[in-house]
Amino acid sequence: MYNVISPWLALYVFWNFVAFFLMMIDKRRARRGKRRIRERTFFLCAAAFGAVGIVFGMYVFRHKTKHMTFVFGIPLLCLANLGAYLLWLQG
């Protein structure tokens, strides 16, 4: 079973790093007045098991922390990700 979980865990960690760096890139673009990443992109990334990376990115870069949709929505997606993972483990 370890061999089956290991690639999934690696993919999960990689995807959360991608989400984290998306927040970094968007913060940098915001400071420079350049074209930004859509909020929808962040939510889609979070819904696709990248919510932990988005949350860390929000607070490390102090980005989107005043947007209530992010403050409440992304942690809810973290819980949804956890629930989906637990269901996957049972089935």
Side-chain angles (χ1 to χ4, degrees):
M1 182 139 185
Y2 175 75
N3 292 333
V4 174
I5 293 174
S6 182
W8 290 110
L9 180 62
L11 183 61
Y12 177 77
V13 170
F14 172 76
W15 186 244
N16 277 282
F17 272 114
V18 168
F20 179 81
F21 286 114
L22 276 177
M23 285 302 248
M24 180 188 73
I25 291 165
D26 193 55
K27 178 67 174 194
R28 184 176 294 154
R29 287 180 179 180
R31 285 182 178 162
R32 295 177 179 175
K34 292 188 175 183
R35 189 172 176 198
R36 306 280 302 282
I37 298 171
R38 293 181 179 191
E39 290 184 357
R40 175 177 48 187
T41 303
F42 290 118
F43 278 97
L44 288 172
C45 184
F49 293 95
V52 172
I54 297 289
V55 168
F56 278 119
M58 282 173 56
Y59 292 103
V60 167
F61 302 113
R62 295 181 183 168
H63 190 51
K64 304 279 188 191
T65 55
K66 293 183 181 180
H67 295 252
M68 288 302 120
T69 54
F70 277 83
V71 171
F72 293 109
I74 300 296
L76 283 174
L77 285 171
C78 276
L79 291 175
N81 289 177
L82 178 63
Y85 174 70
L86 292 174
L87 284 173
W88 178 72
L89 282 179
Q90 286 180 350

